[in-house]
Amino acid sequence: MRARLLQVAAQTGTPVYVYDLDEAVRRCQALTETFQGRFGLSYAVKANPNLQLLAGLLPYVDTLDVSSYREVERALLVGCPAERITFSGPAKRAGEVRGAVEQQIGELVLESVAEAELADSAARERGVRQPVLIRINPANGPKKFGVSFSGKASQFGVDEEVLDEAIDRIQQLPGLDLVGFHIYSGTNSLDPEAITQNFAIFIELFRRAAARSGIAPRKLVFGSGFGVPYGAGEQPLDIEAVAATAVPMIDELKRDPTFANARCVLELGRWLVAPAGWLLTGVIAQKHSRGTELRACDAGFNNHLAACGMMGTVIRRNWRFDNISNPQGAPAEYTLVGPLCTSIDVLASKLTLPEVRLGDVIAVENSGAYGLTASPTRFISHPEPAEVLLVGDEIRDATESALNTWTTVDAQGQPRSGTGAG
Ligand SMILES: Cc1ncc(COP(=O)(O)O)c(C=O)c1O
């Protein structure tokens, strides 16, 4: 892969995000196979909304889960049928709910009773019934998740403690069709036991919600929380170990006639795409300062907030970096900083890398999720990184212009130019 990444850097310049579509597809297939088809997949668009990547992943997932109306539009732009879109996210604007209902998206994931009421009036105005899932926020959750929303005040979903009243109210709304339930209560876990303990909590809640509502759910969404190893000492999540416990759990659930026809879906983003992406940044300045070898790169937290430890991390840890220009160089300790005029713009501190010279290209690994899309690119007005998609032997430009003119792709993956809707 090093040679390929160097080729991209030479062709495109830096900074550039590189996404390996084939690897992302392999990861989709690996999940489907490892879980022996017990789960469909729902790709969380927020993890990486790049249009060409979305188009490439679409054949391998059940649904695209979006969290804004603009993401609804992105899903539609790449040819995703509306019925394969789900829409989660707190504080949806009234116009977003109306828009989603007008597009007849697959399921609106209700985060509150107030949102249900909005959706109900939008659906009745249009004379339709909008399929919905109720997102439940559990009162309990195991530890060992990067971030957990359960058991604390949270803007996400209906708290388990008031679930019964919420179900009763939502079922009174004639414009809504309650199809099932959704839980996403923790992110980025590398611990199979914590993940399956969480699934057990989900299943108990799904049983309770089905009993209260009297429906036989057609859809149950398991927010997977599957993590990736960002730090040097971490090991990848053992998905076989997760499956060894989760598959029998699903089989048991489905032996209950109430759940026999429920489609169980794993919802996730980072596990699918993070390891299939790199940010390539060039070294543009060097300085020896009071005992530290500093190297300044052309990308900082403006281009990759998460790698700089500013997205949901309490203590900043170094991510995995590779000096792809000089892999055989003599190892030394470096602090990598970005181009921003602020002392917090640190990519990695006291990291051992093969000798880092001016002009070298540094690859930031695990950057396929929450990279460009989750970064404040306007800060200090540096140019936006390019985006590139690797497909087979091809290197495709996947950059979307900051001027809101999107180069989109159709369902067959063919480029198509258009101006961003909305
Ligand atoms: C509702 C929902 N689904 C899916 C995800 C994707 O999480 P991850 O990328 O960690 O798999 C998130 C992340 O915040 C989420 O809020």
Side-chain angles (χ1 to χ4, degrees):
M1 185 50 75
R2 261 188 200 135
R4 205 100 197 272
L5 294 177
L6 274 175
Q7 194 188 349
V8 173
Q11 278 181 18
T12 314
T14 57
V16 56
Y17 272 92
V18 186
Y19 312 125
D20 180 350
L21 178 62
D22 301 332
E23 173 63 10
V25 164
R26 270 194 295 277
R27 296 181 75 80
C28 291
Q29 290 168 330
L31 277 194
T32 307
E33 279 160 27
T34 306
F35 287 92
Q36 300 161 39
R38 301 306 195 278
F39 287 107
L41 302 181
S42 170
Y43 174 64
V45 172
K46 64 171 79 66
N48 190 332
N50 181 278
L51 292 170
Q52 298 204 35
L53 182 69
L54 282 186
L57 288 177
L58 191 57
Y60 303 94
V61 299
D62 274 24
T63 45
L64 296 180
D65 181 64
V66 303
S67 291
S68 69
Y69 191 71
R70 290 295 293 274
E71 285 189 352
V72 172
E73 292 179 324
R74 294 176 81 81
L76 293 171
L77 262 170
V78 299
C80 181
E83 65 269 18
R84 287 175 57 197
I85 299 175
T86 62
F87 188 177
S88 60
K92 298 182 189 77
R93 294 171 178 84
E96 292 186 294
V97 172
R98 264 200 311 278
V101 170
E102 271 165 29
Q103 297 287 358
Q104 297 187 276
I105 65 157
E107 289 117 22
L108 192 65
V109 182
L110 298 175
E111 306 261 355
S112 68
V113 170
E115 185 187 322
E117 288 167 348
L118 266 178
D120 172 58
S121 31
R124 282 190 292 131
E125 262 167 42
R126 278 193 65 82
V128 295
R129 280 187 91 209
Q130 172 61 48
V132 294
L133 304 173
I134 298 177
R135 178 170 180 182
I136 307 169
N137 187 292
N140 299 299
K143 292 198 171 39
K144 300 206 173 160
F145 281 83
V147 178
S148 169
F149 321 126
S150 57
K152 54 175 90 140
S154 162
Q155 67 268 52
F156 303 114
V158 174
D159 290 347
E160 175 186 337
E161 296 84 339
V162 293
L163 179 61
D164 291 356
E165 298 91 299
I167 290 174
D168 294 351
R169 174 68 189 133
I170 289 167
Q171 285 193 299
Q172 286 164 3
L173 300 171
L176 304 185
D177 174 18
L178 181 59
V179 167
F181 304 97
H182 174 293
I183 305 182
Y184 183 94
S185 59
T187 66
N188 198 28
S189 178
L190 293 172
D191 187 315
E193 212 180 310
I195 288 171
T196 49
Q197 279 171 7
N198 216 24
F199 285 2
I201 292 171
F202 294 2
I203 287 175
E204 210 181 296
L205 281 167
F206 291 152
R207 285 187 189 278
R208 193 185 125 193
R212 180 74 183 193
S213 61
I215 67 161
R218 283 172 270 154
K219 174 81 108 31
L220 298 172
V221 177
F222 291 68
S224 78
F226 289 6
V228 296
Y230 290 110
E234 292 174 335
Q235 294 306 315
L237 173 66
D238 181 351
I239 53 165
E240 271 94 16
V242 178
T245 308
V247 167
M249 280 164 86
I250 299 298
D251 288 347
E252 200 208 318
L253 178 71
K254 297 200 77 170
R255 276 195 287 275
D256 179 341
T258 303
F259 294 96
N261 294 319
R263 176 78 169 155
C264 294
V265 172
L266 276 181
E267 187 165 289
L268 73 176
R270 89 180 65 227
W271 192 90
L272 294 178
V273 294
W278 298 260
L279 169 65
L280 304 183
T281 178
V283 176
I284 49 178
Q286 59 184 1
K287 180 178 178 184
H288 183 86
S289 176
R290 303 192 172 115
T292 296
E293 278 302 329
L294 292 162
R295 296 292 180 270
C297 302
D298 55 14
F301 75 72
N302 56 332
N303 291 170
H304 204 332
L305 197 70
C308 295
M310 294 179 198
M311 216 182 135
T313 343
V314 182
I315 301 164
R316 209 193 64 73
R317 293 170 307 161
N318 290 337
W319 276 32
R320 294 165 186 236
F321 293 78
D322 190 11
N323 181 359
I324 59 174
S325 301
N326 191 23
Q328 307 306 330
E333 197 180 83
Y334 297 94
T335 288
L336 302 178
V337 300
L340 308 176
C341 306
T342 158
S343 59
I344 58 171
D345 191 22
V346 177
L347 284 159
S349 53
K350 299 193 182 303
L351 175 73
T352 302
L353 282 174
E355 185 189 1
V356 181
R357 309 157 305 185
L358 279 179
D360 280 355
V361 177
I362 306 293
V364 188
E365 298 183 12
N366 271 321
S367 296
Y370 307 107
L372 183 56
T373 175
S375 300
T377 52
R378 287 188 173 184
F379 184 51
I380 313 204
S381 302
H382 289 284
E384 286 229 349
E387 290 177 281
V388 152
L389 194 74
L390 305 180
V391 190
D393 292 337
E394 231 187 295
I395 296 176
R396 280 191 204 159
D397 182 10
T399 310
E400 294 169 31
S401 156
L403 293 174
N404 210 24
T405 303
W406 295 332
T407 301
T408 68
V409 284
D410 62 21
Q412 282 72 47
Q414 296 306 313
R416 165 175 80 187
S417 282
T419 303

